[in-house]
Amino acid sequence: MSEFDLEKIFSEWNHEAFEGELSLPEIRWNSRLRTSAGRFIPDPSGCVIEVASYLRDELEAEKLIRDTLGHEMIHYWLFVKNLPYGHTPQFHEKMESIGVSRYNPVPKHRPFKHCYECRGCGQRIFVRKRLRLAACAACCNEHADGRYDSRFKLKLLASGEAVLRDQIPLKRSG
Ligand SMILES: [Zn+2]
Ligand SMILES: [Zn+2]
């Protein structure tokens, strides 16, 4: 059991910063989240917000958990309003207006800095150093006899804060 009640913190944020507009999504702790403090999983049939369990052991646990939930709630709020829900200018504007800290420390592990995606299979790869010319090993092995094939060149999805903070938002089809 946790002394931190995520639904209660959600409800506080909702009234303080979102005019009570947001309906309660599924909110859960995730003990496997390591490279990020939180995650928003968009799903029209029921969104999910995850908060990394390790935050509970941090010195400023309460503040970090509140900040993380607030951050993910902005993604959720934009999604509900049918707006782009990544780290857009509107996201930053809301973040500043409601007082969510800009940076969320993700201690314990050196964070990944860049996120790449395979053009072929869509697999995401998180790395610390920028890749210059790299392709997805799985796809090259399967479709190109293990040789480099530009069809499976990795595409840079995001760098920096977006990668540190949470997962890159999922792509929606259609
Ligand atoms: Zn691939
Ligand atoms: Zn985010």
Side-chain angles (χ1 to χ4, degrees):
M1 279 307 287
S2 165
E3 60 188 295
F4 302 105
D5 183 338
L6 292 177
E7 293 189 2
K8 181 163 167 274
I9 302 169
F10 177 93
S11 163
E12 287 165 5
W13 265 130
N14 195 17
H15 288 95
E16 280 166 36
F18 301 94
E19 293 168 341
E21 275 175 2
L22 297 173
S23 60
L24 186 68
E26 185 181 343
I27 311 178
R28 61 192 180 209
W29 296 103
N30 183 337
S31 57
R32 286 157 300 138
L33 270 187
R34 296 284 175 202
T35 55
S36 62
R39 174 152 85 140
F40 167 65
I41 304 165
D43 183 344
S45 64
C47 293
V48 179
I49 290 176
E50 291 183 340
V51 178
S53 306
Y54 74 79
L55 293 179
R56 296 187 298 218
D57 304 322
E58 295 297 315
L59 211 54
E60 294 190 285
E62 187 160 0
K63 182 182 179 302
L64 291 176
I65 290 166
R66 209 182 122 75
D67 254 25
T68 299
L69 196 52
H71 177 104
E72 304 310 330
M73 283 174 74
I74 301 174
H75 287 305
Y76 176 45
W77 175 71
L78 291 169
F79 178 79
V80 167
K81 290 168 89 86
N82 252 323
L83 294 164
Y85 53 90
H87 297 129
T88 59
Q90 204 169 2
F91 182 98
H92 284 98
E93 200 178 292
K94 184 73 173 172
M95 195 170 74
E96 267 150 46
S97 81
I98 73 176
V100 171
S101 311
R102 191 166 197 106
Y103 298 109
N104 223 347
V106 179
K108 296 191 174 159
H109 300 267
R110 272 181 50 219
F112 298 111
K113 291 216 175 79
H114 309 286
C115 174
Y116 288 85
E117 186 181 69
C118 170
R119 288 165 204 270
C121 66
Q123 160 108 354
R124 293 195 175 154
I125 295 164
F126 293 84
V127 291
R128 297 200 174 100
K129 286 194 178 153
R130 232 179 142 117
L131 303 171
R132 300 210 63 180
L133 195 62
C136 171
C139 286
C140 292
N141 286 338
E142 196 176 329
H143 306 293
D145 296 327
R147 277 173 287 110
Y148 172 89
D149 188 314
S150 61
R151 282 179 298 163
F152 310 118
K153 202 176 151 199
L154 296 174
K155 181 174 77 173
L156 183 64
L157 272 192
S159 286
E161 199 200 346
V163 180
L164 305 186
R165 294 223 44 147
D166 47 25
Q167 303 288 318
I168 313 304
L170 300 171
K171 274 206 199 119
R172 293 156 84 189
S173 57

